[in-house]
Amino acid sequence: MESVASLPRTKIVRHELFLILLLASIQFTNIMDFMIMFPLQDYFLKQFQIDTAMFSLVLSSYSFAAAIAALIGANFIDRFNRKSAAIFLYVGFLVGTALCAVANTYSFLLFARIIAGIFGGMVSGVILSIIGDVFPIEKRGKAMGGVMGAFSAASVLGVPSGIRIAMSSGWNYTFAFIVLLGLPILVLAILYLPSLPSKMEKQKVADFSQLINVLSKRDHLVALAFFMSVILGGFTVVTSIAVFMERNMGFSKTQVSHIYEIGGICTFVSSWIVGFMSDKFGKHKVFLILVLLALLPILAITHLPKDLPVYMALGVTTVFMVLVSGRVIPSMAMLTSAIRPEVRGSFMSVNSSLQSVATGIGALLAGAILVQLPNGTFERFDVVGYFAVGFNLLALYLSRKVKIVS
């Protein structure tokens, strides 16, 4: 297969599209593994007899494990071929997901999520680095939009399928399903991912110079803080939507799956549109518009009245998913363009680490704010929404300080 890196740069061509789809497939299983935890929350609360705070610990354990691994990996990741790193990390992720499939106690599930987080968090950073290395800035928004479409595909196909498997066979089988999906993707990655050798000079002794190099520059710190704010602006709300809809709005588990199906279909389409618009009109401008628009469904979804018809509630969740996920596309394109190629892998590993920290903080924050009443419903979801709005406004402010260098 012809090297993707050598192809013409005027438009997205067939070989580049294949690479986008392959990277998106890796992300699909990775995102599905993370997202499926949200709608399965009710199963875990009942089977393990835990509260929302303990469930938040399971969510955040994945995130914080990913954060620590990515932070350590930032010192070494640019010294390896991108393809080799991606394959190694994806294998580790599949092993961690397989452990989730056989978990039968709360403590074992916690352990399994840590293993999945260690590898799953790092593989995302490598995938984004591959996009930054292969695609020039004028096409990076489209490429990022395509890979971000994995979120939509996971919502449309992955999460609803996982919910139905859990309903018919048990939640353990949902994780086994993810592993079965991942195995042929792993084979394709081995065969077709482009070889992207390290651009660093050979070093015999590993040290923390790369991490220091990334964290010592003010522009890097601003970019990292910016993306953490973007993630917190969504995940403080996302982590509790499914259980809130079940307990407070009276949604059935089938109706919860509709949230991901309908929202995912719309997001799949909008991801490509947002990527195109980002390249055409500028990343900063599109991000500004999407953030301001996203504030409305964030406030709406955290203030839903109990007597709201199901179709109207689904409309709110769909707009929420489209706009909140849409913000990530121009912000990630800005992020990958703010770093020089020779340190992009290390920077993206640090970013993956802090992104995981942000998702963990978001889960813990939501778990700490929400209060479960004796009848099983939750209150103070509106407070969670106010925090999300604050994080989005902070991201908006920081976005003006992110400088594009490549």
Side-chain angles (χ1 to χ4, degrees), residues 248-249 304-310 312:
N248 286 55
M249 302 298 293
L304 289 178
K306 293 183 179 180
D307 57 349
L308 190 69
V310 171
M312 293 185 66

Side-chain angles (χ1 to χ4, degrees), residues 243-264:
V243 71
F244 179 82
M245 289 297 179
E246 282 191 58
R247 298 289 183 90
N248 286 55
M249 302 298 293
F251 273 41
S252 67
K253 286 181 169 54
T254 300
Q255 289 171 327
V256 168
S257 72
H258 292 338
I259 293 175
Y260 296 94
E261 289 169 340
I262 299 172

Side-chain angles (χ1 to χ4, degrees), residues 157-195:
L157 302 173
V159 173
S161 298
I163 293 173
R164 291 189 174 92
I165 291 171
M167 291 172 61
S168 62
S169 304
W171 61 265
N172 301 77
Y173 287 89
T174 298
F175 293 101
F177 174 68
I178 296 173
V179 175
L180 290 177
L181 285 177
L183 291 176
I185 295 172
L186 174 62
V187 173
L188 290 175
I190 293 172
L191 294 175
Y192 296 118
L193 273 184
S195 179

Side-chain angles (χ1 to χ4, degrees), residues 226-241:
F226 157 68
F227 199 69
M228 281 189 72
S229 301
V230 173
I231 298 302
L232 282 166
F235 268 92
T236 46
V237 176
V238 167
T239 54
S240 303
I241 287 178

Side-chain angles (χ1 to χ4, degrees), residues 133-148:
D133 288 345
V134 171
F135 294 92
I137 188 171
E138 61 269 17
K139 294 196 289 185
R140 206 166 288 158
K142 299 183 188 72
M144 199 65 68
V147 173
M148 289 301 296

Side-chain angles (χ1 to χ4, degrees), residues 188-233:
L188 290 175
I190 293 172
L191 294 175
Y192 296 118
L193 273 184
S195 179
L196 298 169
S198 172
K199 296 182 181 180
M200 293 180 61
E201 295 181 1
K202 297 293 183 181
Q203 299 184 33
K204 295 182 178 180
V205 180
D207 55 31
F208 289 87
S209 59
Q210 277 295 92
L211 180 60
I212 294 172
N213 187 27
V214 168
L215 296 178
S216 62
K217 292 180 172 56
R218 182 180 181 278
D219 289 346
H220 291 178
L221 296 177
V222 170
L224 292 168
F226 157 68
F227 199 69
M228 281 189 72
S229 301
V230 173
I231 298 302
L232 282 166

